[in-house]
């Protein structure tokens, strides 16, 4: 079943709920087949839906094995769109909670930029870039600035 994203915000809501549910197919329904991703985890770059699917499956399987639910919040998001193209930039907070106790185990915030295209009256992510600021002295990512 094809998902229809009428508003750009619908894509973000699908991202949140699919991560929480660890729903790979639901998550990927927001992405164009030719997706191009620059990620700050594991694989530096993914081109195409197949490599991205493999990354997402590994991510969600790791969450399952760890016994955590991941809550996603989009903060300070800005959407600029015209009829067929949109750009979103925001801070995305990922908070891992123990499934049994509900206790928050950890949290981090990344910077995200999404490029979207409207196709058949539905928005799809065609480009995604996530990043962390780095400490110039250590070269390490700064995870908890917010």
């Amino acid at each position: 079943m094809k998902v229809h994203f009428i508003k750009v915000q619908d894509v973000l809501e699908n991202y949140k709920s699919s991560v929480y549910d660890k729903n790979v197919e639901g998550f990927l329904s927001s992405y164009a087949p030719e997706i191009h991703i620059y990620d700050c985890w594991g694989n530096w770059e993914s081109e195409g839906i197949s490599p991205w699917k493999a990354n997402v499956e590994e991510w969600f399987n790791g969450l399952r094995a760890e016994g955590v639910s991941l809550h996603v919040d989009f903060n300070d998001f800005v959407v600029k769109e015209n009829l067929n193209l949109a750009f979103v930039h925001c801070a995305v907070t990922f908070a891992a909670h123990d499934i049994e106790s509900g206790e928050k185990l950890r949290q981090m915030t990344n910077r995200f930029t999404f490029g979207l295209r409207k196709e058949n009256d539905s928005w799809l992510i065609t480009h995604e870039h996530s990043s962390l600021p780095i400490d110039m002295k250590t070269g390490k990512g700064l995870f908890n600035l917010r």
Side-chain angles (χ1 to χ4, degrees):
M1 181 178 147
K2 181 90 170 122
V3 180
H4 194 75
F5 303 107
I6 297 169
K7 299 181 296 189
V8 171
Q9 290 82 351
D10 295 340
V11 175
L12 302 179
E13 287 302 316
N14 182 67
Y15 187 106
K16 286 171 60 168
S17 63
S18 295
V19 169
Y20 183 80
D21 294 336
K22 300 174 198 75
N23 178 349
V24 173
E25 294 306 320
F27 186 82
L28 294 174
S29 70
S30 295
Y31 290 87
E34 71 281 359
I35 184 64
H36 195 142
I37 295 175
Y38 292 109
D39 200 357
C40 59
W41 293 106
N43 294 320
W44 170 275
E45 179 179 21
S46 292
E47 291 187 70
I49 200 72
S50 292
W52 184 230
K53 181 178 184 178
N55 290 350
V56 172
E57 288 173 336
E58 181 181 350
W59 179 27
F60 290 178
N61 287 337
L63 294 172
R64 279 186 199 91
E66 196 178 347
V68 300
S69 62
L70 195 59
H71 301 241
V72 177
D73 285 309
F74 291 93
N75 305 294
D76 306 324
F77 72 89
V78 175
V79 178
K80 301 286 186 183
E81 67 180 88
N82 66 24
L83 292 176
N84 296 308
L85 293 174
F87 286 91
V88 175
H89 58 85
C90 55
V92 183
T93 300
F94 298 91
H97 294 259
D98 182 271
I99 288 175
E100 291 185 24
S101 71
E103 174 190 1
K104 187 193 298 186
L105 304 172
R106 63 187 175 275
Q107 174 178 306
M108 65 171 287
T109 300
N110 291 32
R111 301 176 296 196
F112 269 74
T113 301
F114 297 99
L116 298 97
R117 174 184 76 231
K118 191 179 274 187
E119 186 175 288
N120 299 320
D121 293 322
S122 184
W123 289 103
L124 292 172
I125 301 170
T126 59
H127 181 81
E128 177 178 308
H129 185 121
S130 67
S131 65
L132 291 168
I134 61 166
D135 180 313
M136 295 304 285
K137 291 178 185 165
T138 66
K140 295 185 181 200
L142 302 171
F143 289 88
N144 293 307
L145 293 180
R146 291 185 172 230

